[in-house]
Amino acid sequence: MMPKIPLKAIVLVHFVLTVWAVQASWITPGYAYMNFFVLAVGLWAVAAKESIDAILMFLVFMFVSIILDMIMIGIYYSKGYAVYKLAGTLSEFRFSAGMAILNLLLKPLTCVLLYHHYRERGGDYGMSLPTSNDGGGGYENIDQPIPSNSQVEAAHPHTSIHDVSKSPLSE
């Protein structure tokens, strides 16, 4: 059983880690934009307590951000290390990079927690394809005769108002 961690706490932890990760300018601004956008969707999920869509979008964006974080950290880590080593501020780089890596390591756990929140809100994971309840599906067999209803009475021809004496009701 997963512990019940409030959505607000999840958003707050990732916010703090993202702010610390972008303290040093070793990583592309796209990292900050992407992570703050994901957190904005997280704030929407916090505000819309009953919305399944909000929590699902937060989960999907969080999952996508895992992949993008790995790419961005992988590309910019060695360049940032070299630049900050030459500048003599390697500790600033290490702290910032460490927070980015810690943020990345927590994201899979966050996805699991978000999935539990999604399920609590009534979300159902899986493909929901339209189905037919009549048992026949969408296929119509044209080789079979059309079923008829013998209970239907024959239609009477239209009678005008002036011809009331010949109406089927007067018989």
Side-chain angles (χ1 to χ4, degrees), residues 55-72:
I55 195 75
L56 179 61
M57 285 185 64
F58 189 29
L59 174 62
V60 168
F61 283 132
M62 185 63 72
F63 180 76
V64 170
S65 75
I66 293 171
I67 297 165
L68 295 175
D69 279 1
M70 287 189 292
I71 292 169
M72 288 184 211

Side-chain angles (χ1 to χ4, degrees), residues 62-122:
M62 185 63 72
F63 180 76
V64 170
S65 75
I66 293 171
I67 297 165
L68 295 175
D69 279 1
M70 287 189 292
I71 292 169
M72 288 184 211
I73 292 170
I75 290 173
Y76 293 101
Y77 184 85
S78 60
K79 176 182 159 187
Y81 181 82
V83 168
Y84 280 87
K85 186 174 182 180
L86 286 175
T89 56
L90 198 55
S91 59
E92 180 183 348
F93 166 76
R94 285 184 178 155
F95 178 77
S96 177
M99 294 303 109
I101 293 168
L102 180 60
N103 193 18
L104 174 62
L105 291 174
L106 287 178
K107 284 184 177 185
L109 175 63
T110 300
C111 285
V112 171
L113 294 171
L114 291 177
Y115 178 71
H116 285 289
H117 281 279
Y118 171 68
R119 293 296 302 232
E120 284 177 3
R121 289 188 184 186

Side-chain angles (χ1 to χ4, degrees), residues 15-85:
F15 175 75
V16 169
L17 290 174
T18 300
V19 168
W20 284 343
V22 297
Q23 287 291 334
S25 58
W26 64 277
I27 199 161
T28 179
Y31 176 86
Y33 297 144
M34 181 225 12
N35 278 291
F36 287 130
F37 178 75
V38 170
L39 293 174
V41 175
L43 288 176
W44 175 40
V46 168
K49 294 182 183 346
E50 301 297 319
S51 175
I52 296 172
D53 291 336
I55 195 75
L56 179 61
M57 285 185 64
F58 189 29
L59 174 62
V60 168
F61 283 132
M62 185 63 72
F63 180 76
V64 170
S65 75
I66 293 171
I67 297 165
L68 295 175
D69 279 1
M70 287 189 292
I71 292 169
M72 288 184 211
I73 292 170
I75 290 173
Y76 293 101
Y77 184 85
S78 60
K79 176 182 159 187
Y81 181 82
V83 168
Y84 280 87
K85 186 174 182 180

Side-chain angles (χ1 to χ4, degrees), residues 117-138:
H117 281 279
Y118 171 68
R119 293 296 302 232
E120 284 177 3
R121 289 188 184 186
D124 184 23
Y125 180 75
M127 299 296 289
S128 56
L129 300 173
T131 58
S132 175
N133 293 336
D134 63 0

